[in-house]
Amino acid sequence: MLRAKISCVTSYVPDDILSNEELAQMVDTSDEWITTRVGIKERRILREEGTGSSDLGARALQALIDKTGIDPKEIELIICATSNPDFRFPSTASIIAEKVGIKTTYGYDIQAACAGFLVALQAGAAYIQAGLYKKVVVIAAEKMSSMVNYKDRNTCPLFGDAAGCVLLEPTEEETGVMDTIFHTDGMGLPHLVMTGGGSVRPASHTTIDKNEHYVYQDGRFVFKHAVADMISSSSTIMQRNQLTIDDVDYVIPHQANLRIIEAIAERFNIPEEKMLVNIQHYGNTSAASIPLCLSEFEHRFKKGDKLILTAFGAGFTWGAVYLVWDYNS
Ligand code: UT7
């Protein structure tokens, strides 16, 4: 049986840091509030003029090419998960391919908000399992700062810019993407949305005046669902693979709020060293948060380690992936 293994992971974050102290000079907030309510100390912001999510994604992909030494011509498919495409069309994946100088691949984007990387990972793995491709790159690239209103204290402390990238290749071993589970419940629409700029409300002076080109979030409502849904999908995937938390080496949850992560850890009684967290440095980087975490903690992973990845985002869309790590870092 063919499986899709992750054979390399890389990430990219911009150099520019936006600290809580700086935010407190922009809106009515404080380092104390952000730290205790969300667990974020700083986030990265892509400030270079004329750059977008594709630049983040291209830099993560270039790092992957440099790290593996792979001939870029061998990459058959690039799937890019993003809620911040450079343009409504063409796909950000196609722009990334061009920026990295790959003319021989094909690519498309996936929109599944903060769950985008896991959804794209499942899609990439399915192509490999079906025998269609041997080298698939899954990228999550999010210039979240492009949709944040830096006058809205409810949202501006939360988000940061980043990209993460993995290479998927076939394996006949018991490693790689073992199982996936996803759900969508469209009732989430009014609670986490950017209403302006789409086909329902195309960009106009009115949409701009009403700040509809910024992210809107009903934080408390989203919080409750994020906790419950990441717990239930993680629980289901562990049960159906006969795993207890003792069998699992690492859990990587979407990094949206440290209190959400702590609630998941408490529910499953996950020891601190197994629950991977980097939200304090990067904030919520939407689809990029899980590959960014994989990349940051890659040095800890050993071949055979069992990982549960879980994400929740707009839609609502959420789910979990059971992954067995394939290499010693
Ligand atoms: O990634 C996709 C999924 N997203 C999530 O999972 C995020 C889920 N939600 C959350 O993480 C949290 O709900 C937030 C971090 C967004 C908000 O935290 P909260 O503890 O739920 O705060 P709240 O919205 O209930 O607001 C509590 C208070 C309010 O004041 P009052 O009404 O109690 O007087 C807010 O006005 O905190 C106030 N507040 C702030 N105070 C200082 C809201 N934002 C700020 C702020 N600084 N930045």
Side-chain angles (χ1 to χ4, degrees), residues 29 33 37 114 153-154 217 219-220 254 257 259-260 284:
T29 189
W33 190 93
R37 304 305 294 170
C114 298
R153 72 172 186 172
N154 290 303
Q217 175 170 251
R220 275 183 216 186
H254 171 49
N257 187 321
R259 288 186 295 132
I260 294 177
N284 180 348

Side-chain angles (χ1 to χ4, degrees), residues 160-319:
D161 299 341
C165 182
V166 298
L167 178 63
L168 297 178
E169 295 184 89
T171 178
E172 289 181 3
E173 294 185 53
E174 287 288 297
T175 59
V177 178
M178 309 298 283
D179 196 9
T180 57
I181 177 170
F182 290 103
H183 299 279
T184 292
D185 185 345
M187 69 77 189
L189 170 65
H191 306 287
L192 186 48
V193 62
M194 184 201 290
T195 51
S199 56
V200 173
R201 296 183 60 74
S204 68
H205 289 294
T206 312
T207 63
I208 299 288
D209 290 345
K210 292 185 165 177
N211 286 331
E212 291 177 5
H213 55 297
Y214 294 127
V215 58
Y216 166 79
Q217 175 170 251
D218 173 356
R220 275 183 216 186
F221 189 87
V222 175
F223 186 105
K224 282 184 209 141
H225 283 269
V227 171
D229 293 340
M230 284 195 279
I231 285 175
S232 72
S233 49
S234 303
S235 174
T236 304
I237 211 159
M238 286 196 288
Q239 270 169 28
R240 76 183 187 193
N241 290 281
Q242 288 88 47
L243 296 170
T244 67
I245 206 64
D246 292 339
D247 304 314
V248 173
D249 296 284
Y250 298 102
V251 176
I252 305 189
H254 171 49
Q255 313 276 309
N257 187 321
L258 187 59
R259 288 186 295 132
I260 294 177
I261 296 171
E262 285 168 352
I264 299 170
E266 196 178 324
R267 163 64 183 77
F268 292 113
N269 211 1
I270 305 172
E272 214 175 293
E273 63 278 8
K274 284 191 183 187
M275 195 72 170
L276 302 186
V277 179
N278 64 0
I279 188 175
Q280 62 276 22
H281 301 304
Y282 307 111
N284 180 348
T285 58
S286 189
S289 86
I290 288 181
L292 183 61
C293 219
L294 280 174
S295 168
E296 183 157 332
F297 291 99
E298 182 202 21
H299 64 279
R300 286 204 203 166
F301 304 152
K302 296 185 303 299
K303 182 163 183 160
D305 278 355
K306 297 180 173 69
L307 277 62
I308 299 292
L309 319 176
T310 182
F312 175 94
F316 298 136
T317 301
W318 71 94

Side-chain angles (χ1 to χ4, degrees), residues 46 48 51-53 56 84 141-147 160-162:
L46 182 67
E48 294 159 56
T51 52
S53 295
L56 299 167
N84 296 275
E142 300 277 26
K143 186 182 170 187
M144 290 302 289
S145 59
S146 71
M147 64 156 87
D161 299 341

